Amino acid sequence: MRIYSIFFYFLLSMTVMSEGVSQELSSIPAEIHIENLKSGVLLIKLNTQSRRINARIKAGKIEKAEKLRKEVEKEHKEIMAAFEKHYEFSDYYFFYSDDSDAVLMDKDYSLLFTSADRKSVIPVEFAENSRYLLMLGLHPGFPSADKYHLLLSHLSEKGRRKLPRSMPRSFHTRSSKLFCNNYDFDKAIRRINERLQKVDIFYRDIQK
């Protein structure tokens, strides 16, 4: 049984790595990335869990489907509220995971929305190399180490790319309370903003 569990976690890790961040490292240096993000845009993917919800409905598990739907809705509200309170480093927009292909591949930015009112954004074009993706996912290689991490990657014209090591690219979301598996998105988003600002200050100081 243990062998099957290990194999399952290995497959899960590989799936997250392939869907989350390309294993190809970005060729752009960190000091350029931090400038591009600061003047660019952060796109935040909100997981809808629609497949799991629909699977429960098809199986006749209506109450469980509704419970999951409410959990997802609560998670979205908490993430958006945390960004409103703590994130100042760059412009940012949200989109639902069901619209991933349309937003990331087809560049249909009419599907983006703001956290304040969830109104769709007027279609815009973003400058080359100025788009960055933040998504919830298991930490690559450590699927059981934390419930979820927020993973930051670069959206290049050739697809998603892993950021250089000197760039912040993974942020844990678990609450620091003992024996608590809840998320602390306020802490996570505040930490993202602080770390990006520190990297920005570091490279600006070097250039003086």
Side-chain angles (χ1 to χ4, degrees), residues 55-180:
R56 292 181 181 187
I57 292 173
K58 287 182 179 180
K61 301 177 180 179
I62 308 301
E63 289 186 6
K64 287 188 176 182
E66 181 62 17
K67 180 181 178 182
L68 179 56
R69 187 192 65 77
K70 288 181 178 179
E71 289 175 356
V72 169
E73 187 175 285
K74 178 175 179 288
E75 179 181 281
H76 292 174
K77 289 180 178 179
E78 289 178 354
I79 292 174
M80 289 189 284
F83 266 92
E84 284 188 330
K85 287 188 287 184
H86 305 296
Y87 190 81
E88 301 174 342
F89 190 77
S90 69
D91 289 339
Y92 64 90
Y93 300 104
F94 299 93
F95 68 95
Y96 292 118
S97 57
D98 294 342
D99 299 324
S100 290
D101 287 345
V103 171
L104 302 180
M105 298 176 65
D106 301 334
K107 298 182 180 180
D108 183 356
Y109 298 136
S110 65
L111 295 169
L112 300 177
F113 55 91
T114 59
S115 57
D117 48 24
R118 297 198 186 193
K119 288 184 178 179
S120 297
V121 177
I122 297 173
V124 294
E125 285 296 327
F126 300 119
E128 185 178 353
N129 289 323
S130 70
R131 300 180 309 147
Y132 292 79
L133 173 68
L134 190 71
M135 58 182 285
L136 272 174
L138 297 173
H139 192 290
F142 301 95
S144 60
D146 197 356
K147 198 169 185 181
Y148 281 111
H149 275 64
L150 284 165
L151 307 173
L152 178 64
S153 59
H154 178 225
L155 294 169
S156 74
E157 294 303 311
K158 297 180 180 179
R160 279 172 276 185
R161 293 292 181 267
K162 184 187 296 184
L163 292 170
R165 286 185 177 276
S166 49
M167 274 287 290
R169 55 188 186 184
S170 178
F171 312 86
H172 67 80
T173 61
R174 181 176 288 180
S175 171
S176 58
K177 294 180 181 179
L178 192 62
F179 304 121
C180 179

Side-chain angles (χ1 to χ4, degrees), residues 10-40:
F10 172 75
L11 289 178
L12 181 60
S13 175
M14 294 304 294
T15 300
V16 170
M17 289 170 74
S18 62
E19 293 183 351
V21 181
S22 169
Q23 291 306 291
E24 185 173 342
L25 186 67
S26 171
S27 59
I28 300 173
E31 59 267 31
I32 302 299
H33 272 303
I34 201 71
E35 282 296 322
N36 286 348
L37 174 55
K38 189 175 182 180
S39 61

